Amino acid sequence: MRGIQIKEYVKGPLDLKVTDLPDPVPAKDQYLIGIHASATNFFDLLQIAGKYQHQPPLPWISGSEFAGVVISAPSTLPNGRTPKYKVGDRVFGASQGGYATKVAAREETLKPVPKGWSFFEAAGLFVTAPTSYGALVTRANIKAGDWVLVHAAAGGVGLAAVQIAKAFGATVIATAGTKHKLDVAKSFGADYGIDYTDSTWPDQVKKLTPKGRGVDIVFDPVGMIDKSTKCIRWNGRLLVIGFAGGAIEKMPLNKVLLKNISIVGLHWGAYAINEPEMIEPVWQGLFKLIDEGKFRGTVFTDKEFVGLESVPDALKSLGSRGTWGKVVVKVPQEGQSKL
């Protein structure tokens, strides 16, 4: 197969190289997947530089999220279970080694490609969509009539959050740093857009809400919780999704007491260890929204990335904050041309 192997940590994505590598040998409980599309993530940038919380022993193949076709399936699974997928099935998922033409993956890290979706659309679904659904639905108990503020609304988790909030009957205020990104957020259903490079954004948010009371829920993948307390209403919920802004926030807790608000964390990746029984309900909820046409793929389409050789450029674009949604690389199968 072909893939991007990390033998030593690199300074940046442009140092990554595609090489010929042995095919992965699936363990007894693993499937072998032929990858047709690979999605990029910020944690890929951290991992190739040795700065992520999960660093496999060197050498390893980079990338995680993918969509493709089952090449081989396990004969049986633990406890004598019959494998869910068969050779030829279209699947998406996440497993270390997504920047390659083939990857080995366990069944719990795979889902079926939704009906009518391409590999390109499905590749970026596995990490972002359940993060946003788990936050808004499982953690914040979103309901019809809520006002929801989504920060970095044109990002991968942001566009997922916008669609999920709208599907549940909420009014959505999106923030982003450019007009183009705000237009993208609105095209996915956001009711209002505010540029958060303008320091008055909390006041602008409050003015939009009924009687200036503030929003019910804040969805924050950036690190803007402290400022968001200025525009949250009594009993509001602030969701800590991540720190894409770079700095990990510290804040005075008197604000939490005075406004009777909750700051709620969401670590979707740790549900498999700590609360595995909650994973399937989240996916069932998401697939229901997809079937109802209320959730669509969030793939960045301003520029096309084709072939593993374009992964460095895709990651550079992602890191420069010039993109929106999920940046996905189309991976032609071995023997196919890029055209």
Side-chain angles (χ1 to χ4, degrees), residues 226-303:
D226 192 12
K227 283 186 179 170
S228 298
T229 59
K230 294 178 181 176
C231 57
I232 190 101
R233 68 175 298 189
W234 174 266
N235 271 342
R237 287 88 76 204
L238 298 124
L239 290 159
V240 181
I241 307 301
F243 309 99
I248 292 178
E249 273 192 286
K250 295 178 175 63
M251 64 171 283
L253 291 180
N254 61 321
K255 298 178 181 184
V256 180
L257 182 151
L258 292 171
K259 281 198 161 180
N260 211 58
I261 52 180
S262 306
I263 297 177
V264 186
L266 185 282
H267 185 178
W268 178 249
Y271 268 76
I273 301 159
N274 297 303
E275 210 176 347
E277 68 277 8
M278 285 309 302
I279 293 174
E280 199 48 41
V282 166
W283 278 110
Q284 285 173 358
L286 270 170
F287 277 117
K288 181 172 180 283
L289 295 187
I290 289 168
D291 290 343
E292 292 170 353
K294 293 177 181 174
F295 191 96
R296 59 188 168 102
T298 60
V299 183
F300 176 71
T301 51
D302 294 3
K303 181 180 178 183

Side-chain angles (χ1 to χ4, degrees), residues 55-84:
Q55 293 292 151
L58 294 163
W60 44 272
I61 295 162
S62 62
S64 173
E65 271 190 300
F66 59 84
V69 173
V70 176
I71 297 172
S72 72
S75 50
T76 57
L77 292 169
N79 305 327
R81 285 185 300 124
T82 305
K84 190 186 290 185

Side-chain angles (χ1 to χ4, degrees), residues 26-335:
K28 282 184 179 178
D29 63 345
Q30 286 184 318
Y31 293 80
L32 185 63
I33 312 296
I35 294 178
H36 287 248
S38 291
T40 61
N41 285 288
F42 275 108
F43 60 75
D44 296 333
L45 286 164
L46 296 173
Q47 200 180 45
I48 61 174
K51 295 176 181 175
Y52 191 50
Q53 61 252 43
H54 305 296
Q55 293 292 151
L58 294 163
W60 44 272
I61 295 162
S62 62
S64 173
E65 271 190 300
F66 59 84
V69 173
V70 176
I71 297 172
S72 72
S75 50
T76 57
L77 292 169
N79 305 327
R81 285 185 300 124
T82 305
K84 190 186 290 185
Y85 307 107
K86 56 187 189 298
V87 173
D89 281 355
R90 291 155 47 91
V91 293
F92 68 93
S95 187
Q96 186 69 53
Y99 296 146
T101 51
K102 292 178 183 142
V103 70
R106 298 196 323 278
E107 189 165 286
E108 57 266 35
T109 65
L110 299 171
K111 293 288 172 192
V113 172
K115 193 176 177 183
W117 283 46
S118 66
F119 294 119
F120 181 58
E121 292 168 310
L125 201 51
F126 197 81
V127 172
T128 50
T131 297
S132 302
Y133 192 100
L136 289 169
V137 182
T138 310
R139 300 291 279 147
N141 298 313
I142 190 171
K143 61 187 185 303
D146 280 345
W147 282 71
V148 180
L149 174 62
V150 178
H151 287 310
V157 289
L159 287 179
V162 167
Q163 294 184 84
I164 292 160
K166 289 303 296 177
F168 275 80
T171 301
V172 175
I173 303 172
T175 70
T178 67
K179 183 184 181 300
H180 179 46
K181 287 184 177 182
L182 289 172
D183 288 343
V184 168
K186 287 178 181 175
S187 76
F188 278 83
D191 298 283
Y192 304 98
I194 291 175
D195 182 342
Y196 59 17
T197 62
D198 180 339
S199 62
T200 66
W201 67 259
D203 295 327
Q204 294 179 51
V205 170
K206 277 188 83 170
K207 281 175 187 167
L208 288 172
T209 61
K211 297 179 181 175
R213 71 185 187 197
V215 295
D216 300 278
I217 299 170
V218 175
F219 180 93
D220 180 19
V222 182
M224 300 170 69
I225 293 291
D226 192 12
K227 283 186 179 170
S228 298
T229 59
K230 294 178 181 176
C231 57
I232 190 101
R233 68 175 298 189
W234 174 266
N235 271 342
R237 287 88 76 204
L238 298 124
L239 290 159
V240 181
I241 307 301
F243 309 99
I248 292 178
E249 273 192 286
K250 295 178 175 63
M251 64 171 283
L253 291 180
N254 61 321
K255 298 178 181 184
V256 180
L257 182 151
L258 292 171
K259 281 198 161 180
N260 211 58
I261 52 180
S262 306
I263 297 177
V264 186
L266 185 282
H267 185 178
W268 178 249
Y271 268 76
I273 301 159
N274 297 303
E275 210 176 347
E277 68 277 8
M278 285 309 302
I279 293 174
E280 199 48 41
V282 166
W283 278 110
Q284 285 173 358
L286 270 170
F287 277 117
K288 181 172 180 283
L289 295 187
I290 289 168
D291 290 343
E292 292 170 353
K294 293 177 181 174
F295 191 96
R296 59 188 168 102
T298 60
V299 183
F300 176 71
T301 51
D302 294 3
K303 181 180 178 183
E304 192 174 45
F305 299 96
V306 182
L308 290 171
E309 290 78 10
S310 69
V311 166
D313 191 24
L315 281 171
K316 182 171 181 272
S317 298
L318 179 73
S320 71
R321 302 289 203 277
T323 60
W324 52 264
K326 289 295 293 192
V327 177
V328 177
V329 177
K330 292 179 179 175
V331 183
Q333 288 302 282
E334 286 149 308

